Amino acid sequence: MSDKKVQHSVISNVICGGVSGLITRFVVSPLDVIKIRLQIENTRFCPNSKSRTKALPLKYRGIFGTAKTILREEGLTAFWKGNLSAEYLYIAYSATQFFSYRQINDALESSEIVQNSSIRSFLSGASAGLVATSITYPLDLLRTKFVAQDDKNKLYTGIKQSIDLVIKREGLVGLYKGLSPTLIQIMPAMGIVFFGFDTIKASLDTHLVMHQLLSETYFECPFRQKTSYIAPWKDTIAGALAGLISKTVVFPMDVMRKRFQIQTEKALISPMFHSKNYSEVKGSWAMLKKMIQYEGVMSLYKGIVPGLLKGIPSTAVTFGVYGFCLRCMNPVL
C-alpha cells in the first residue's frame, strides 16, 4: 500500500469513526439517561434485614416509569442531560476506536502472529477498546456526574469547571475513578462486538437470499453527486446483533462502573443515588460482593432493558454510519 493510500485510510477511519459517534450519541441519549438513573439508584434496603419495612419507595421504576418521572420533573431536555460531554466522548471514542482497531488488526495480519481472522478480530477489538477508553475516560466520568446530580443542588456546570472541581476534590486520579472495572468491561465487550460483527456479516454474505435482499438498496452519497453505494444494511444488522450479545455478557461491570463513578459524591448529588454501604468500597470484586449482599444478584442487571434498547441501536447505527461513510469517503480521498 502506498504512503498516500495509507494516509487516506487513516484519515477516513478517524473521520468516519467520529461521524458515527456523533450521530449515535444523539440517537441513543434518552435511553442512556434512563439507563444511568436506573443503574445508580440504590434499592435502599438489605435483603434478609428487618429494616426492609422502613425502606423508602424507589423513585425510578422501569423504562416508561423512569421516562415519565424525568419528563415531569425535569422536562424534555433532561433526556440529553450531559450531552455535550457525551458528544465529545462519543466522537473521540469512536474515532480512536476505529482507528486503533484498523491499525492493530493490520499489524497482526501482516506480522502473521495471529492467523485466525476471528481471533484477530477479538484481540484487535479488545485492544482498541482499551486504547479508546483510556484516552476518553474523564469525559465518561463527567457524563455520569452530570446525569446523576440533583438539579436543585447542581455542582457540575460545564466540562472545564467540572474537571477543575474533580481535580481539586480528588486529585488527578479522581478523573479516572472506576477506570479499572471499565477496562475489565470494555475489553471483552469490544472484543465480542468486533468478533461478532465480522462473523455475523460474513454469515450474511454467504447466505445468498439475505445477501441479495440486503444488497438491492442503494443510498446516494450526500457529498458526491450521481454516486450511489449499497446501503449498509448488513453492517447495521451485524452491528445490532453483536451489540446485543456483548451488552448482555458484560452488563454487570457497567453497573459497577457507574457506582464507582459517583462513589464520593454523597450529598452533592441526589440522595437516592448515594449509599454509605458503597462509599468506602475499593475494587471490582469488593463492589460485586457488596451489591449482591445489600441489593441481591439482580442489582447487577439494573437498567438492563434500557441498556439493551440503547446498546443494540447504538452499535447498529455506529457500524452502519461508519460503513456508509467509508464507502463515500474512500473515492473522495
Side-chain angles (χ1 to χ4, degrees), residues 42 44 148 150 266-275:
N42 291 300
R44 290 183 290 174
D150 191 344
K266 299 183 179 180
L268 298 176
I269 61 171
S270 179
M272 74 182 64
F273 296 141
H274 177 74
S275 171

Side-chain angles (χ1 to χ4, degrees), residues 42-49 51-53 55-56 293-295:
N42 291 300
T43 303
R44 290 183 290 174
F45 64 78
C46 175
N48 306 319
S49 172
S51 65
R52 180 168 182 167
T53 57
L56 297 173
Q293 177 186 353
Y294 288 109
E295 300 182 66

Side-chain angles (χ1 to χ4, degrees), residues 7-298:
Q7 183 182 20
H8 289 169
S9 177
V10 170
I11 293 172
S12 59
N13 272 280
V14 171
I15 292 177
C16 291
V19 170
S20 68
L22 175 67
I23 295 174
T24 299
R25 173 58 200 176
F26 184 80
V27 171
V28 304
S29 181
L31 283 169
D32 194 35
V33 170
I34 292 172
K35 176 182 73 77
I36 292 176
R37 295 292 178 92
L38 288 171
Q39 285 179 324
I40 62 179
E41 182 179 23
N42 291 300
T43 303
R44 290 183 290 174
F45 64 78
C46 175
N48 306 319
S49 172
K50 294 181 180 179
S51 65
R52 180 168 182 167
T53 57
K54 299 180 181 178
L56 297 173
L58 289 172
K59 182 177 182 179
Y60 299 117
R61 292 181 177 275
I63 299 175
F64 296 109
T66 302
K68 286 172 61 178
T69 300
I70 294 173
L71 186 62
R72 182 178 65 251
E73 296 184 354
E74 304 173 55
L76 185 63
T77 56
F79 291 108
W80 282 269
K81 197 172 185 179
N83 199 51
L84 183 60
S85 64
E87 286 288 8
Y88 289 148
L89 168 64
Y90 272 61
I91 293 172
Y93 182 89
S94 294
T96 305
Q97 174 185 254
F98 280 108
F99 167 75
S100 300
Y101 175 81
R102 183 53 53 201
Q103 299 302 306
I104 295 169
N105 192 65
D106 288 348
L108 289 175
E109 185 176 10
S110 61
S111 65
E112 298 184 353
I113 295 175
V114 182
Q115 297 186 353
N116 184 287
S117 60
S118 297
I119 297 177
R120 192 164 59 241
S121 293
F122 180 86
L123 293 176
S124 300
S127 301
L130 170 66
V131 173
T133 300
S134 299
I135 291 174
T136 63
Y137 187 79
L139 289 171
D140 185 43
L141 178 83
L142 295 184
R143 177 186 58 149
T144 301
K145 291 183 182 294
F146 286 140
V147 172
Q149 69 180 342
D150 191 344
D151 279 343
K152 297 178 181 179
N153 189 27
K154 188 172 289 188
L155 186 70
Y156 301 102
T157 58
I159 294 178
K160 185 181 184 303
Q161 177 268 344
S162 300
I163 291 175
D164 292 340
L165 183 59
V166 172
I167 294 176
K168 180 180 178 181
R169 293 174 60 209
E170 305 175 54
L172 189 61
V173 70
L175 292 173
Y176 292 88
K177 194 171 188 65
L179 178 61
S180 176
T182 301
L183 293 178
I184 294 173
Q185 171 209 352
I186 206 69
M187 291 182 69
M190 296 318 302
I192 293 171
V193 163
F194 279 96
F195 164 76
F197 174 79
D198 289 342
T199 303
I200 294 169
K201 187 178 179 183
S203 298
L204 292 174
D205 284 334
T206 57
H207 194 290
L208 294 179
V209 176
M210 289 297 294
H211 177 72
Q212 292 176 354
L213 180 64
L214 297 173
S215 300
E216 290 179 353
T217 307
Y218 286 79
F219 283 171
E220 184 172 323
C221 286
F223 46 82
R224 280 181 63 82
Q225 295 181 352
K226 298 180 181 180
T227 302
S228 298
Y229 295 95
I230 296 175
W233 298 129
K234 282 183 285 189
D235 292 347
T236 305
I237 293 173
L241 294 176
L244 170 63
I245 297 169
S246 174
K247 196 72 174 180
T248 303
V249 171
V250 303
F251 194 79
M253 293 306 301
D254 190 39
V255 177
M256 288 189 284
R257 173 170 64 102
K258 298 303 180 188
R259 296 294 179 95
F260 275 118
Q261 288 178 337
I262 63 166
Q263 192 178 46
T264 60
E265 296 305 325
K266 299 183 179 180
L268 298 176
I269 61 171
S270 179
M272 74 182 64
F273 296 141
H274 177 74
S275 171
K276 62 181 180 181
N277 295 327
Y278 306 119
S279 59
E280 302 298 328
V281 175
K282 297 185 182 296
S284 302
W285 180 243
M287 178 65 80
L288 176 70
K289 291 193 294 184
K290 281 282 188 179
M291 289 184 66
I292 294 175
Q293 177 186 353
Y294 288 109
E295 300 182 66
V297 175
M298 291 309 297

